[in-house]
Amino acid sequence: MRIFSPRSVSIVIVALFIVSALSGLSVGTFSIHPLVAKAASTALVIGYTNEPTNPMNAILLHSPEAWLMLSLDDDSLLQWDQNLVLRPDLAVSWNESANGLQYTFNLRHDVNWSDGAPLTAYDVEYTIAAIINYSTDHSSFFDGMTVPDPSNPTGVTINSSVVSIPNNYTIVFNLPQPYAPLFLNIAGAAIIPEHIFAGQNFSNTSFVNSQFIGSGPFIFSQYVPGNYLTLTANPHYWGGEPDISSVTFKVYQTQAAAEIALQDGEVNFVQGVLPQDVSTLNKSGIDVTTEPSWNIDFMGYNFGTHLANGAFNPLSILGVREAISQVVNVSQVVSTAYDGYATPINQVWIPFFGINGESFTNSSVPWPQVNLTNADLLLNESGYLWTPSGGNVSNGAQYRFNLNTILESGDQQQLTEVSAIQQMLYSVGINLIITITDSNTFFQDVYLTPQPVSWNLYGPSFISESPDPDFMATFMLTPNGPGDSTGYNSTQEQLLALQADETGNNTLRVQLYRDIAGITASQYTWLWLDNPLELNAYASDFHGFVLGPEGIYSGDEGILSPWSLENVTVGSTTTTTTAPSSSTVATTSSSSVTSSASSTTSTTTAAPSNNTALYEGVAAAIVIVVIIAGVVLFMRRRGQAPEPA
């Protein structure tokens, strides 16, 4: 006797699939995603502490945080992959002529801005011109294709004869002379829409911050300064709509507060985890990864002879700077601050940067050796006589001299390092006075205030925006450049850097940058400290983060890449992070590349716990059983013949 008809079986199967789809279960080999509440389950919240100023201003951005936010909204011509190999973004192909005078980029034909307008080569030209005209930080990236224009904030404008656009999707740059870094600088710019910004002054932040038009995988949707910034998935993105429905950057006053929010489920991802917190996060089921960074920690010396208050600056004396290098035990300082998650450095270039496997690191630069006796002698010879019992011989003061140090708030590792240095300098009679300021004040005092300045040392963490050393050379050595606040000026080094820019011989470029490292080391230009690893923590139910370079203008290697968020999904896995051994760090560093309280509001909910998922699964199974039983009972009753009269 047949109990089920083919029709009844079909109904049961359909019912099973409907309920499974609603509950997100797997049936056989098919994984069926829930048809409801997708946005809530795939919203990503990133906790961070360094809120950038005007994060939606692609032309005047200053920080890696701003770049990460912006690069989700605006594509560039090219990106890096995790191994520092260029990958297509808006450009599907590109070419550099053998003589280094012509760069050609061929764009995708299927890219539209989020308002429906097509993205063309004219948007690329407009973006480069805007950076040259307005960005005092980045206009020098395009040396070789500018002409003077005193009416612009940068004093230059684009040389229109350099750019040609043979069609809407091809742009060609023809240079009068080679400029080796230019290819990456063009390729890395975040492209903005000309039809939105044409005729606008990028200093008009109110207008710029109101324009939510982009071409990237996510689009700006809401910005509350001091609280959060949210981007939503772009349904028309040329690479396909991301699985993540939104990305929210939520501001916290301290790194510790952001990490607590991660443990509480308020955020899903935190960058820049404190080394001492890795073990605690692992025990809480939080994944922590280590990645190389394009970051170096150092102390910048003021070379000016006098401070703003008229006081003489001891650091203008070479012997004083050399003495400090023999007092500070860099390895001990770095170990205290990073607990094994950073590598000491002794020169200007990031250790693993290079060309064609050849590192820019100058192996002949000696590592400073602690020698308190010789340091005391150097300080005495510099005119600062002092004894531990009697103090300053010339005036009876407790110390030889005071040094005013300015630090940016929010960097716990840097404060730990500088505090350790402070204790070491006490031993030779130097009083290091530490002042911590907010980001805007720090930026103003260190980078925008001309000599004489109020500080003797400043404690930055320098983040390179490209593996090409031209960026660091420009930042550190250019007269009146963005990093020239120390007053240090070396004509010889500038000439070497210029020669490196204008040669197409990579072997020569490597040697020239090694020579620069040797000269700056001999002058004790900076107190070099370390190259830290990037520590990132994220909720274990998120998968697919690609932790590599943000972009060519990125600022960090071991950070969220914007293109990685296109493929992040929700799952369940847990890993454990331990500090790398010294040999691991050395291997990483020697490799080379080829070219206080948290916010009070939350914009998303945490992913459900494993217990919640279990309860939902059981409930769904019960519903399925009830539906199947009802269908079977109904079909059986319909199949019974009527009793005879």
Side-chain angles (χ1 to χ4, degrees), residues 204-227:
N204 182 357
T205 56
S206 60
F207 176 82
V208 174
N209 288 338
S210 67
Q211 303 307 305
F212 292 0
I213 306 298
S215 63
F218 297 88
I219 303 298
F220 288 121
S221 63
Q222 190 174 15
Y223 176 38
V224 180
N227 198 337

Side-chain angles (χ1 to χ4, degrees), residues 164-398:
S164 62
I165 300 178
N167 59 67
N168 281 347
Y169 301 102
T170 303
I171 185 166
V172 182
F173 297 89
N174 298 287
L175 308 180
Q177 62 185 34
Y179 181 56
L182 185 61
F183 177 80
L184 292 182
N185 295 340
I186 293 173
I191 306 304
I192 60 176
E194 179 183 18
H195 70 283
I196 297 295
F197 292 104
Q200 292 295 327
N201 184 330
F202 284 90
S203 300
N204 182 357
T205 56
S206 60
F207 176 82
V208 174
N209 288 338
S210 67
Q211 303 307 305
F212 292 0
I213 306 298
S215 63
F218 297 88
I219 303 298
F220 288 121
S221 63
Q222 190 174 15
Y223 176 38
V224 180
N227 198 337
Y228 65 88
L229 182 148
T230 296
L231 303 94
T232 55
N234 181 0
H236 307 297
Y237 178 53
W238 57 266
E241 182 179 3
D243 283 341
I244 292 179
S245 59
S246 66
V247 180
T248 294
F249 294 87
K250 190 170 173 60
V251 182
Y252 292 88
Q253 295 300 312
T254 65
Q255 185 68 29
E259 292 175 16
I260 291 172
L262 178 62
Q263 292 174 281
D264 291 343
E266 187 176 331
V267 302
N268 314 113
F269 188 101
V270 171
Q271 184 177 293
V273 169
L274 302 177
Q276 62 267 27
D277 295 343
V278 171
S279 177
T280 300
L281 290 172
N282 279 157
K283 291 177 182 177
S284 301
I286 302 295
D287 291 339
V288 182
T289 64
T290 61
E291 301 288 336
S293 77
W294 295 8
N295 183 24
I296 52 176
D297 293 332
F298 64 96
M299 299 295 292
Y301 292 139
N302 176 7
F303 278 70
T305 57
H306 291 81
L307 302 184
N309 62 6
F312 182 76
N313 175 25
L315 293 179
S316 62
I317 302 174
L318 176 61
V320 172
R321 301 194 302 272
E322 183 179 1
I324 290 176
S325 74
Q326 297 180 17
V327 173
V328 177
N329 186 329
V330 172
S331 295
Q332 183 178 330
V333 168
V334 174
S335 177
T336 300
Y338 284 97
D339 196 25
Y341 290 105
T343 305
I345 60 173
N346 69 338
Q347 56 190 280
V348 61
W349 311 125
I350 292 174
F352 53 89
F353 279 7
I355 299 176
N356 296 334
E358 292 294 324
S359 172
F360 298 125
T361 299
N362 187 331
S363 59
S364 65
V365 172
W367 285 89
Q369 302 296 314
V370 174
N371 188 331
L372 298 183
T373 300
N374 196 57
D376 184 70
L377 177 62
L378 287 168
L379 291 168
N380 288 340
E381 291 175 347
S382 299
Y384 295 101
L385 300 178
W386 176 87
T387 64
S389 59
N392 191 313
V393 173
S394 62
N395 59 21
Q398 181 179 359

Side-chain angles (χ1 to χ4, degrees), residues 389-564:
S389 59
N392 191 313
V393 173
S394 62
N395 59 21
Q398 181 179 359
Y399 302 105
R400 276 189 165 102
F401 50 79
N402 297 326
L403 293 177
N404 298 316
T405 303
I406 182 171
L407 302 179
E408 183 178 5
S409 61
D411 192 331
Q412 183 59 50
Q413 264 47 58
Q414 185 181 88
L415 178 59
T416 301
E417 286 187 313
V418 176
S419 297
I421 292 170
Q422 182 186 54
Q423 296 301 314
M424 294 173 183
L425 292 179
Y426 282 149
S427 67
V428 292
I430 298 175
N431 182 30
L432 190 66
I433 302 171
I434 301 173
T435 301
I436 300 174
T437 70
D438 62 83
S439 298
N440 290 334
T441 302
F442 180 86
F443 192 86
Q444 177 69 38
D445 289 351
V446 172
Y447 298 121
L448 300 182
T449 302
Q451 290 280 349
V453 294
S454 61
W455 45 268
N456 302 97
L457 297 93
Y458 71 115
S461 293
F462 177 84
I463 301 174
S464 179
E465 298 185 8
S466 169
D468 192 300
D470 171 74
F471 177 79
M472 294 183 71
T474 298
F475 191 89
M476 298 287 194
L477 303 174
T478 302
N480 302 315
D484 190 40
S485 52
T486 62
Y488 176 71
N489 189 351
S490 169
T491 302
Q492 182 183 4
E493 291 152 89
Q494 292 166 33
L495 290 174
L496 292 175
L498 180 62
Q499 186 180 353
D501 286 345
E502 296 180 351
T503 181
N505 185 325
N506 286 332
T507 300
L508 177 59
R509 287 197 82 205
V510 169
Q511 186 56 54
L512 290 169
Y513 286 122
R514 288 175 178 173
D515 292 344
I516 292 174
I519 296 171
T520 56
S522 69
Q523 294 298 306
Y524 301 93
T525 312
W526 298 276
L527 178 61
W528 300 110
L529 297 175
D530 62 79
N531 169 224
L533 291 171
E534 184 71 41
L535 297 173
N536 304 286
Y538 54 91
S540 59
D541 52 352
F542 278 83
H543 278 295
F545 292 115
V546 177
L547 301 172
E550 268 183 7
I552 298 171
Y553 279 23
S554 71
D556 256 336
E557 182 186 352
I559 194 174
L560 272 178
S561 295
W563 45 269
S564 80

